[in-house]
Amino acid sequence: MPIVGLPTEIQIYSNYMTELRSRIKVVTQVLAGHIAEFPEFLGAEIMFLQLRKALELIAFASLAANKDAYSAAHKTFAKHWRAKAILDEIEKLNPDFYPMALDAPKEIAQGRKHFSRPVDGFLTKEEFVSLYDLASGALHTHNPYAARDLAIQIEYTVPDWVARIQRLLTWHRVQLIEGSVWIVKIPDQGEVQTWAAAPNMTF
């Protein structure tokens, strides 16, 4: 069904998660050698550009989920663009804003579902910052006279970074400021599903 008028915040969130999935697929295509005819450095730049854009999409989706409080605190919020700074400001308003990775739901009773939470394997807030800095650094052309080590410490391999982003977001929870919750499912294909959690869902 086409959206009439401006999208709601939950629709914006879904749209940004859909775009994020597409950008992660570009990374996996590069890893699979689908641009083998290009220089190796170009493949690396394409992957890190998409990873940085994916992180920006998480930041702006989080802004949408907290739009009312964020816009009240920042009158020029529509001009904000630095992903790390946006996350810092959102966290001041809503300490629980960051997506919570979930396992696929299990029905525990008629009409009741339970989401367990993975212990590790997903992108943490701290790793978000690390990857954002890494991706930003990988996109710049280095001054040949810079007196510093030009090697980039990537912490995880690119496939590992992709896996951590996917583990965070395939099923995740969004905690809103007023206490309500969104549940988000990002399938490999098809429509991203975002809906308000029913009261009988447990975590």
Side-chain angles (χ1 to χ4, degrees):
M1 178 181 298
I3 297 173
V4 178
L6 294 175
T8 64
E9 275 62 57
I10 199 169
Q11 289 166 339
I12 292 172
Y13 195 97
S14 295
N15 292 343
Y16 272 47
M17 291 297 106
T18 300
E19 181 180 340
L20 183 149
R21 179 180 61 187
S22 296
R23 292 188 178 280
I24 291 299
K25 284 184 178 179
V26 172
V27 178
T28 60
Q29 289 170 353
V30 174
L31 289 170
H34 293 171
I35 63 163
E37 66 273 19
F38 293 106
E40 182 178 351
F41 74 83
L42 183 57
E45 289 177 1
I46 291 172
M47 288 191 293
F48 282 111
L49 173 61
Q50 301 311 312
L51 289 173
R52 173 170 165 156
K53 296 286 282 186
L55 297 178
E56 290 174 346
L57 288 164
I58 293 174
F60 283 113
S62 298
L63 189 158
N66 296 275
K67 183 253 184 181
D68 289 344
Y70 194 96
S71 61
H74 302 279
K75 301 305 181 184
T76 61
F77 79 101
K79 297 181 180 180
H80 291 189
W81 59 273
R82 293 183 177 87
K84 290 195 298 181
I86 288 172
L87 293 192
D88 287 342
E89 293 304 314
I90 295 173
E91 188 167 21
K92 293 175 184 177
L93 303 168
N94 179 8
D96 297 320
F97 81 94
Y98 193 74
M100 176 190 290
L102 301 174
D103 294 318
K106 295 182 179 179
E107 189 164 11
I108 57 176
Q110 184 66 34
R112 295 190 63 203
K113 296 183 183 297
H114 171 71
F115 289 89
S116 58
R117 296 168 54 184
V119 176
D120 54 26
F122 51 86
L123 188 77
T124 65
K125 281 188 291 187
E126 294 74 21
E127 290 170 346
F128 180 108
V129 174
S130 296
L131 179 56
Y132 188 85
D133 290 340
L134 164 65
S136 300
L139 295 177
H140 294 301
T141 299
H142 298 288
N143 184 329
Y145 304 105
R148 62 186 179 87
D149 184 4
L150 297 182
I152 298 175
Q153 305 300 320
I154 67 171
E155 188 172 355
Y156 296 111
T157 65
V158 172
D160 286 340
W161 281 119
V162 168
R164 297 184 81 79
I165 293 172
Q166 291 175 325
R167 188 67 186 93
L168 173 68
L169 297 176
T170 298
W171 278 98
H172 69 275
R173 185 187 84 171
V174 180
Q175 179 70 54
L176 306 186
I177 292 177
E178 75 276 9
S180 59
V181 170
W182 295 345
I183 299 296
V184 185
K185 177 185 179 183
I186 307 179
D188 290 337
Q189 299 181 33
E191 185 177 355
V192 170
Q193 301 173 45
T194 306
W195 61 91
N200 57 359
M201 285 187 177
T202 60
F203 300 89

